[in-house]
Amino acid sequence: MDQNWTLAIHGGAGALAKARMTPELDAGFRDGLRAALAAGARILAAGGAALDAVTHAVMALEEDPQFNAARGAVFTTDGRQEMDAAIMDGRDRRAGAVAGICGPRHPVLAARAVMEKSDAVLLAGEGALRFCRAQGLEFADPAWFHTERPWQALQKELQRRQSNAPDLRDDADRHGTVGAVARDRFANLAAATSTGGMTAKRPGRIGDSPIIGAGTWAENASCAISATGHGETFIRYAAAHEIAARIRLGGQSLQQAAAAVVAELLPLGGSGGLIGVDAAGNAVLPFNCEGMYRGIARADGALLTAIYDEAPG
Amino acid sequence: MDQNWTLAIHGGAGALAKARMTPELDAGFRDGLRAALAAGARILAAGGAALDAVTHAVMALEEDPQFNAARGAVFTTDGRQEMDAAIMDGRDRRAGAVAGICGPRHPVLAARAVMEKSDAVLLAGEGALRFCRAQGLEFADPAWFHTERPWQALQKELQRRQSNAPDLRDDADRHGTVGAVARDRFANLAAATSTGGMTAKRPGRIGDSPIIGAGTWAENASCAISATGHGETFIRYAAAHEIAARIRLGGQSLQQAAAAVVAELLPLGGSGGLIGVDAAGNAVLPFNCEGMYRGIARADGALLTAIYDEAPG
């Protein structure tokens, strides 16, 4: 065990356009990010596992209706919430994920239960819910998950589609995700991601978040990654695993590999970003769009947040 | 356009234990494999697209109740069939996949419709079925998919679990998948995979077949891969994309990379195998268990099949 640890989080590459940001909104987002950082940092500082740190950081973001995951999740075209989440342990690449569920208060805990209590990696829909009930996971009311901003975003988007008006939404109206990656004092890595998906998504659509290798990845030998953005492009690129492969096989640094992949995704339609850490404790938080809610905490006491193209502060 | 083309197919690493194989069964499996090879080879020989060749080869295997996909799919613990399929085009990495569906006669056509007619890559469950209906895909009766051998395998496995008897099943009772990879005369690659999953799987469980990068992958710059075996391990390893990465970033040949990954998966619980082709038309069909139904067809007229550790003939 050493003194070094690192935690990075994101609250989605779907940041509100700068022109629409107010000081009040800005403060709210940063408070939410800081609360999630604190939840994970506490565990890491005490010598806890990266796996626990990312679990608790993501739980904090899931509870916060400002972010598109669990409470505050966006809606499908038929007005439902279908949540996806994944978690991966870099020590042994154990992984768990859920897709298309609405019920468990913390989808990330559902993903973790799949990893720890089932022989599956990915469970979806009604079968996943049945498993979560059998595991005794806490369920929340539909009303608890339902919040006004994503509901209004759905109504606006459905109206737009009916009137065939051009799609002028900014990323904040389109998508969003939350995630965390950590390097603990034992140099173990972990990653977790949780999302409501894209506003007005087709029922049954599964994005990159619960796809191991696309939106979520962790292996001690390379890096831990949690992505956010246009999920389909991240899947077609196996984005998270691609970064790991460039480090492990291509001899690149985390910074090189992550920056290159995020840049390459944009012309393919992959607006978004990601967070990553490696076993040395390096962290990266690149994105290719206007903003990404993000934060980083380190053993030296730093606890920093950022939204737009700015140094975390 | 050149004269070179290659098609490789598999009918699952869940081959019947050699001791249980009879000449009649052997002939039946080989006939099924040859029919699928012929369906794809016809297209490739005429200068058709790899994407069409893998589609038609997999359709032939889906129709054949000897293999665990579509007709003949295995059953979940609650006696249902939940099918997964994926397809990927190596030209532009477009991809489509479906998970947890029972209805479309050809799940691989459902995956292809997702790729070509939706903005999603992966659709699951009821939402996926709704999309398939809207696309006018052919649906089949539950009775058509239901066959006796997988149904009896489920009953036997449920009884075994009730009596806590040791799991002595061979791979043929456990899993199975079908898949095809092709290199066409334009040096384009494609891959497709279709499966009923594992016998007595938990409802909602999604394996590696529809996970782009795990069980299915195609990019012209490296290879096209379709995997079969213990899906969870293939997901945790991002097996198909790992092979592509070792070729593209690690300078390995398809043969080296595929053989190494299949060997590395076994001690991790990943019994199974895969098929792969590269842009030069090389094909590999490695597996780490007793057998894998497989076949290969080439421009020189070769149309070969194999089941156990033997040269295709």
Side-chain angles (χ1 to χ4, degrees), chain A residues 77-78 80 88 92-95 99 117-124 126-128 130-131 202-207 211-214 217 219 230 232-233 235-238 241-242 245-246 248-250 252, chain B residues 77-78 80 88 92-95 99 117-124 126-128 130-131 202-207 211-214 217 219 230 232-233 235-238 241-242 245-246 248-250 252:
Chain A
T77 48
D78 57 1
R80 301 214 178 121
M88 190 163 184
D92 50 11
R93 310 205 225 193
R94 277 192 315 157
K117 306 287 174 61
S118 87
D119 49 7
V121 167
L122 175 55
L123 289 180
E126 191 46 47
R130 213 196 296 179
F131 169 78
R202 192 188 288 279
R205 178 259 187 188
I206 299 176
I211 305 300
I212 301 303
W217 184 258
E219 61 174 316
H230 183 255
E232 277 69 17
T233 313
I235 295 175
R236 290 169 51 199
Y237 217 80
H241 185 260
E242 175 71 22
R246 291 189 187 187
R248 183 163 40 77
L249 302 166
Q252 295 185 22
Chain B
T77 50
D78 57 1
R80 297 211 182 124
M88 189 162 185
D92 50 11
R93 308 205 225 196
R94 277 192 314 158
K117 306 287 175 60
S118 86
D119 49 7
V121 166
L122 175 55
L123 289 179
E126 191 45 48
R130 212 196 297 179
F131 169 78
R202 192 188 288 280
R205 178 259 187 187
I206 298 176
I211 305 298
I212 301 302
W217 184 260
E219 60 174 318
H230 184 256
E232 277 68 18
T233 313
I235 295 174
R236 290 169 52 199
Y237 217 80
H241 185 260
E242 175 70 21
R246 290 188 188 187
R248 184 164 38 78
L249 302 166
Q252 296 185 22

Side-chain angles (χ1 to χ4, degrees), chain A residues 66-133:
Chain A
Q66 298 178 106
F67 304 108
N68 175 17
R71 185 160 200 227
V74 300
F75 294 86
T76 64
T77 48
D78 57 1
R80 301 214 178 121
Q81 289 166 308
E82 296 183 351
M83 301 163 197
D84 305 332
I87 192 163
M88 190 163 184
D89 187 337
R91 287 176 291 198
D92 50 11
R93 310 205 225 193
R94 277 192 315 157
V98 287
I101 63 167
C102 187
R105 180 175 180 130
H106 288 294
V108 71
L109 291 183
R112 187 156 172 178
V114 170
M115 176 174 88
E116 294 179 337
K117 306 287 174 61
S118 87
D119 49 7
V121 167
L122 175 55
L123 289 180
E126 191 46 47
L129 290 174
R130 213 196 296 179
F131 169 78
C132 292
R133 277 186 216 106

Side-chain angles (χ1 to χ4, degrees), chain B residues 102-115:
Chain B
C102 186
R105 181 175 179 128
H106 287 293
V108 70
L109 291 183
R112 188 157 172 179
V114 170
M115 176 174 89

